[in-house]
Amino acid sequence: MSTRRNPGTDVALIAAFAALVAVCALLPAIKVAGPVPITLQTFAVLLSGAVLGMRRGFLAVLLYVVAGAAGLPVFSGGAAGLAVLTGPTAGYLIGFPLAAGLCGAIVERLPRRSLVSPVAIFCAGLISSALCIHTLGMAGLVLRADLTWAQAWDIDKIFWIGDVLKNVAMALVATAVHRAFPGILDRPAAPAPAAQGQPEGTPTA
């Protein structure tokens, strides 16, 4: 039986989650010290990966970034254009699709029982956020805002408590989605079993 998905469904899900990231970016942001505001973007970014898997989660968030770079006012505060991708927050934006992809890659490989338990998904989101969003975000501050790594860390560490809370919410929502729609995750195809009694690699008629 074929396990291929409907491409139309994939496109619709990618577009829907790109729109969700945009909505979360445009919600009122909390201004803190430094050029990076606190928004709900990371919640939506990691939810995209946790629900859609690596490939579709990455594409959904990449679509959001490309749309903003093309001029749609979907970045935080309604900003848009290529200038945002060369500014001090560029590292965070570049890290978003990578974080969604990494989170999706981890979640895809979880056993089915872990998909209905938020702990594993929470850990996947936190690891992805730390490695991709925060690391690249600080690199962007160093390169584009002329800060030292210590100064960039002083700005970035403000977001950690909020990110933990957003990852808790993301894991709870993703778990609920997987319970309601157990087939939504884009898992890698399992290898076909070898024919019984036939050496592996032997061609069959």
Side-chain angles (χ1 to χ4, degrees), residues 47-98:
L47 184 66
S48 299
V51 170
L52 300 182
M54 179 181 68
R55 180 181 62 89
R56 294 180 302 173
F58 173 83
L59 290 175
V61 183
L62 181 64
L63 175 61
Y64 159 76
V65 174
V66 170
L72 292 179
V74 293
F75 293 144
S76 178
L82 288 173
V84 181
L85 293 180
T86 60
T89 61
Y92 291 96
L93 289 169
I94 292 171
F96 283 166
L98 299 177

Side-chain angles (χ1 to χ4, degrees), residues 49-188:
V51 170
L52 300 182
M54 179 181 68
R55 180 181 62 89
R56 294 180 302 173
F58 173 83
L59 290 175
V61 183
L62 181 64
L63 175 61
Y64 159 76
V65 174
V66 170
L72 292 179
V74 293
F75 293 144
S76 178
L82 288 173
V84 181
L85 293 180
T86 60
T89 61
Y92 291 96
L93 289 169
I94 292 171
F96 283 166
L98 299 177
L102 178 58
C103 184
I106 296 172
V107 172
E108 282 175 3
R109 286 155 180 80
L110 293 175
R112 174 63 200 165
R113 63 182 180 275
S114 296
L115 293 179
V116 294
S117 172
V119 175
I121 296 178
F122 167 80
C123 292
L126 200 61
I127 291 169
S128 304
S129 179
L131 292 180
C132 299
I133 298 175
H134 290 280
T135 300
L136 291 177
M138 287 189 290
L141 292 173
V142 171
L143 295 174
R144 307 307 304 177
D146 198 23
L147 301 178
T148 65
W149 279 98
Q151 290 170 328
W153 165 247
D154 284 339
I155 292 173
D156 185 79
K157 67 183 181 183
I158 298 171
F159 303 103
W160 277 88
I161 294 177
D163 267 14
V164 169
L165 297 176
K166 283 181 277 187
N167 270 290
V168 169
M170 179 279 294
L172 293 172
V173 172
T175 298
V177 172
H178 287 303
R179 285 174 177 165
F181 305 99
I184 195 172
L185 186 64
D186 189 18
R187 286 182 180 273

